[in-house]
Amino acid sequence: QCHYSAVTGGGGKDAQRRRMFDRFRATVLEQLGMDGVSPDNSKKGDVDEACWPLIRLVNAQADFVTTSSCSGRSCVFTECGRDEAEGGDLRKRTGRWLYVTHGLAEPADVWRALVEVAPTLAAPSTAMFRFEPFLLHVQCRTIADAQDLCRVALDCGYRNSGVVIGKKIIAAVRSTLRIEAPLAFDGDVAVTEAYVASVVELANKKQRENLKKLAQLTEALQLYFEVERPAARAEAAARAARAVDGKAGSAGRRAAAAVTAAAIGTGEGGAFEEGSRRCAASAELADDTVED
């Protein structure tokens, strides 16, 4: 990807995964840098400029850290067998870019790259034109965090988004804006320049839509992080407090009723005092049970 972190994390159980998260996040942010020019471990070597506003926004949150991203790109990519001349395993494929841009593609440049390089490729080989849309992978502290991030992405039209749970909890944000078209086989160009121009025009249309959706996602996540997430946490805390108060109050009311009944039945102040002590003890027990 255009932004990729090579850091790996340990874990397996939920508790261990959460303990490892902070250390992993700190290491990734140190490697990535937040200045917009720091190199990373991708083939491109740095983060795409269009991704930086979203990368900064996500990485400013304590429960999230980006691990890879791409703003979207048009490219001509070759796939060919490895070590054909030496009798290598043809099932093992290698490839390289003949042309790549993260902006709008130029039809003449795509055609030039194709006709200059494709004829030099040994069989078996295939040259493909690809448009690949925005992609983002985010490691999250909890499954609920990943689900929330994916919910926002899905609402913005990223229909291929989902959560991957393993040693890490990863939210993958992906859309369906994709093109893949074969251009050459075994060194022979199979299309015309006019065909290439039409494919590039379609790719540029998708890239404009792709960048518009990226801006919408950034705005939606900013609203989620700054407004919706704090409000949801405050409401959850309030519900938890009401639950604690309700359990303690219920225990206290039951104990008080028992005290009153005992005092009325015996007419002795000592029984009332003993009942009051039991009421206090019951309330403490209720509190301890909720905390545990």
Side-chain angles (χ1 to χ4, degrees), residues 255-256 258-260 269-283:
V259 169
T260 302
F272 187 85
E273 293 172 0
E274 175 63 15
S276 299
R277 185 187 63 77
R278 291 180 181 179
C279 177
S282 297

Side-chain angles (χ1 to χ4, degrees), residues 180-264:
E180 188 163 322
L183 302 178
F185 302 94
D186 299 341
D188 295 327
V189 177
V191 297
T192 65
E193 186 173 1
Y195 173 84
V196 169
S198 297
V199 171
V200 169
E201 182 181 359
L202 179 59
N204 286 342
K205 180 180 179 180
K206 287 184 177 292
Q207 175 67 319
R208 293 186 184 95
E209 182 179 354
N210 174 66
L211 294 177
K212 181 179 179 180
K213 286 169 64 70
L214 173 55
Q216 292 172 342
L217 176 64
T218 302
E219 292 180 1
L221 282 175
Q222 184 169 4
L223 177 65
Y224 166 69
F225 287 135
E226 295 181 358
V227 179
E228 296 176 5
R229 184 175 173 85
R233 288 191 162 189
E235 176 59 26
R239 286 198 302 268
R242 288 195 296 268
V244 171
D245 291 343
K247 289 186 177 181
S250 177
R253 286 191 296 272
R254 288 195 301 270
V259 169
T260 302
I264 293 174

Side-chain angles (χ1 to χ4, degrees), residues 73 75 129-135 160 175-181 202-203 206 210:
R73 66 189 175 201
C75 65
F129 178 89
R130 292 178 179 173
F131 173 72
E132 299 169 334
F134 168 77
L135 172 69
N160 282 357
S175 78
T176 58
L177 297 174
R178 185 180 182 90
I179 297 175
E180 188 163 322
L202 179 59
K206 287 184 177 292
N210 174 66

Side-chain angles (χ1 to χ4, degrees), residues 33-70:
M34 299 305 292
D35 52 14
V37 296
S38 298
D40 66 5
N41 293 304
S42 65
K43 289 183 178 180
K44 179 173 177 286
D46 56 19
V47 176
D48 294 344
E49 182 178 354
C51 285
W52 267 115
L54 182 57
I55 296 297
R56 291 192 180 97
L57 174 65
V58 173
N59 287 336
Q61 316 305 316
D63 297 326
F64 303 86
V65 62
T66 60
T67 60
S68 66
S69 65
C70 178

